[in-house]
Amino acid sequence: MLIEDCDQTFVCRDFIKCPRYRSNTSRRHLQTNMAVRLCDVASLLRSGSWAPEPWTGQVIATMETQLSNGPTCNNTSNGPSTILNNCSSPVESGSIEDSKTNLIVNYLPQNMTQEELKSLFGSIGEIESCKLVRDKITGQSLGYGFVNYVDPKDAEKAINTLNGLRLQTKTIKVSYARPSSASIRDANLYVSGLPKTMTQKELEQLFSQYGRIITSRILVDQVTGVSRGVGFIRFDRRVEAEEAIKGLNCQKPPGAAEPITVKFANNPSQKTSQALLSQLYQSPNRRYPGPLAQQAQRFRLDNLLNMAYGVKSRFSPMAIDGVTSLAGINIPGHAGSGWCIFVYNLAPDADESILWQMFGPFGAVTNVKVIRDFNTNKCKGFGFVTMTNYDEAAVAIASLNGYRLGDRVLQVSFKTNKTHKA
DNA sequence: TAGAATT
């Protein structure tokens, strides 16, 4: 039986970029817990219209295996290389049976605050609680957090809407949180000495005999893309990780010339005092740069805009740098705690998520708001976005003004006092 | 030989 002929629905286990995919809700990517028809995905893969990635072939193999074996619901992995299981609905998926309102959000930008997290997820529905996890000593974000909704439907909507959202240089991951327990902590392994040819899928295959893999990763050279021979495996439970160390440390993977080393990964928040000191005193805080850093950044920005658009950035506060935080100065877009951007010509069905999607990649966004008609609840054609940093806001405006969204051309500028109030 | 995944 060909996969193309199979109408069976699978549940996507992770967010997969697939721009040519179009679901019945017009989503352009495969998203966590999204029901996916096998034939749709398979035809895209085989047609080559979905750019091949290292795990693409394995997706086909996995689907073919599942077809020949018949339906089962064994989730031995939810990493990117085994994105599908053959449970027919998210409700049957073992990973979410315990909680339907509490989400874990991973891969958040380093400088994202809890308020920004709440603002982002609050655009979906009412939040019961929200927490950004921070290092207890330094207060620095650990890059993940939790969002607990009042309504399970909003949690599901948040996964469908926000999983895979690009924020600055990160692609966030939104999934149901497992119930917290000691047994799931410290289950992350660091693996070194891997053959440079080993794929992520092969790494998972090697380790999956010891338990359910939550995430896997092989580090690669940023320039060449070649494996650095080291990686991480996160198991569902600590005991599974312990068994994997016993079974695989100092062992040669099939076909490998050298044995691998498998041990518990260091906790990234446990840094030496030296590293902490250098981090605290040497790295400039992007959010609150000193005057010199601000001027340097704006100088670069002005050059950038000049080169790109042949104009000086019209609203650059260079001339009055240093007084931008004083009250009573009328600077377009400056809204006390950030830069307010006016977005005009949005469609009636526009919602907050589209503003996050458009502006999030440009930098720290603290708030978005679609202005709606009180009676119809439809967008009145405009909205506002607040960004923390002037430079990032200016680049976003330069990039998105004139952007075609659907059949509309957007007008994007710093908010002025003459126009609508947020 | 190094990622920010359980509050």
Side-chain angles (χ1 to χ4, degrees), chain A residues 69-224:
Chain A
N69 291 346
T72 64
C73 272
N74 295 326
N75 283 335
T76 55
S77 165
N78 63 357
S81 57
T82 48
I83 60 166
L84 304 169
N85 68 29
N86 31 14
C87 303
S88 60
S89 84
V91 181
E92 295 170 48
S93 174
S95 64
I96 64 169
E97 63 192 5
D98 300 301
S99 169
K100 296 183 173 61
T101 60
N102 196 25
L103 304 179
I104 184 167
V105 188
N106 295 110
Y107 311 110
L108 293 167
Q110 174 64 42
N111 60 4
M112 191 168 190
T113 67
Q114 182 165 296
E115 284 308 305
E116 290 166 8
L117 183 67
K118 187 173 184 180
S119 174
L120 172 59
F121 282 80
S123 66
I124 301 291
E126 185 181 355
I127 291 174
E128 193 275 327
S129 62
C130 169
K131 178 163 190 178
L132 178 70
V133 180
R134 293 183 178 277
D135 184 284
K136 288 193 178 109
I137 298 169
T138 67
Q140 293 212 322
S141 166
L142 296 183
Y144 68 94
F146 296 89
V147 176
N148 194 14
Y149 282 98
V150 174
D151 188 340
K153 288 195 180 71
D154 288 332
E156 186 180 3
K157 187 179 173 190
I159 290 174
N160 290 331
T161 309
L162 298 176
N163 184 42
L165 177 70
R166 276 194 56 226
L167 291 177
Q168 300 171 47
T169 61
K170 303 282 189 175
T171 301
I172 70 169
K173 180 177 176 182
V174 185
S175 53
Y176 289 105
R178 294 173 287 167
S180 182
S181 76
S183 66
I184 67 172
R185 298 189 60 184
D186 303 316
N188 199 22
L189 296 180
Y190 175 72
V191 188
S192 57
L194 294 168
K196 298 294 174 66
T197 55
M198 180 178 267
T199 65
Q200 185 186 17
K201 180 57 192 174
E202 290 166 341
L203 180 69
E204 283 197 5
Q205 283 177 334
L206 183 62
F207 280 81
S208 62
Q209 58 187 309
Y210 297 98
R212 180 185 170 207
I213 296 169
I214 299 299
T215 54
S216 68
R217 171 171 209 175
I218 291 177
L219 302 186
V220 297
D221 184 290
Q222 297 237 329
V223 177
T224 65

Side-chain angles (χ1 to χ4, degrees), chain A residues 352-377:
Chain A
E352 274 74 8
S353 74
I354 190 63
L355 293 178
W356 283 107
Q357 287 174 50
M358 286 194 301
F359 287 83
F362 290 96
V365 174
T366 57
N367 195 35
V368 303
K369 186 174 183 65
V370 166
I371 305 302
R372 294 182 169 84
D373 181 274
F374 183 80
N375 295 314
T376 66
N377 209 34

Side-chain angles (χ1 to χ4, degrees), chain A residues 41 60 189 195 223 297-298 357:
Chain A
V41 178
I60 299 178
L189 296 180
V223 177
Q297 285 178 16
R298 286 178 189 159
Q357 287 174 50

